[in-house]
Amino acid sequence: MTRKSKKSSGHTPLTYYEMHTKFKSAQYGTTTQRLSTDSQLPFGCCALSLSPADEIDPVATPSGHIYDRESILTYLVTKTAELKQQHIEYMSQRKREAERTSKQKKEQQSDALVVFENLHKASSASAAIQKKRKTSEHEDKEA
């Protein structure tokens, strides 16, 4: 099979077979389905509030979207408050996690200390028993 870019009609990304048979049900590359007027804003309407922009102070972006300045400011104030609340929740979550990990570390350290003390007591007890045995053996030898 030849490469698509080497064909005389190399500007199309699909072959004749792909356009007419394979993707026919998907209607690839056709203009039969278009967006209705409900999905597009009427000219001069704010993209945030979906109402006609005030004639006093509309704002247009370089891409052509029209906004009402009051809608922009309301949106920014609302989002700023939401972000502050999310930040507070995030910081309290991090604080709880830090407290939980420090508590776990303290518990592990106290457990390790108890194990060490038990081993030390057991070793000192066995050392005392061995010392008693040695002294009793030594006394038996002298007698």
Side-chain angles (χ1 to χ4, degrees), residues 106-119:
K106 287 180 182 178
E107 288 175 358
Q108 288 175 352
Q109 289 175 350
S110 65
D111 291 344
L113 183 63
V114 168
V115 168
F116 176 76
E117 289 174 349
N118 290 340
L119 286 175

Side-chain angles (χ1 to χ4, degrees), residues 62-119:
S63 61
H65 294 90
I66 298 173
Y67 297 100
D68 188 20
R69 189 174 300 271
E70 182 181 345
S71 298
I72 291 175
L73 294 176
T74 306
Y75 176 79
L76 290 176
V77 167
T78 328
K79 285 298 173 183
T80 303
E82 287 177 12
L83 289 173
K84 284 182 181 178
Q85 182 63 32
Q86 289 176 356
H87 181 69
I88 290 169
E89 291 171 1
Y90 174 71
M91 293 306 288
S92 65
Q93 178 185 1
R94 285 193 55 185
K95 184 179 178 183
R96 285 192 304 265
E97 289 176 359
E99 289 173 354
R100 183 175 44 98
T101 55
S102 66
K103 184 178 177 182
Q104 287 176 348
K105 284 183 182 180
K106 287 180 182 178
E107 288 175 358
Q108 288 175 352
Q109 289 175 350
S110 65
D111 291 344
L113 183 63
V114 168
V115 168
F116 176 76
E117 289 174 349
N118 290 340
L119 286 175

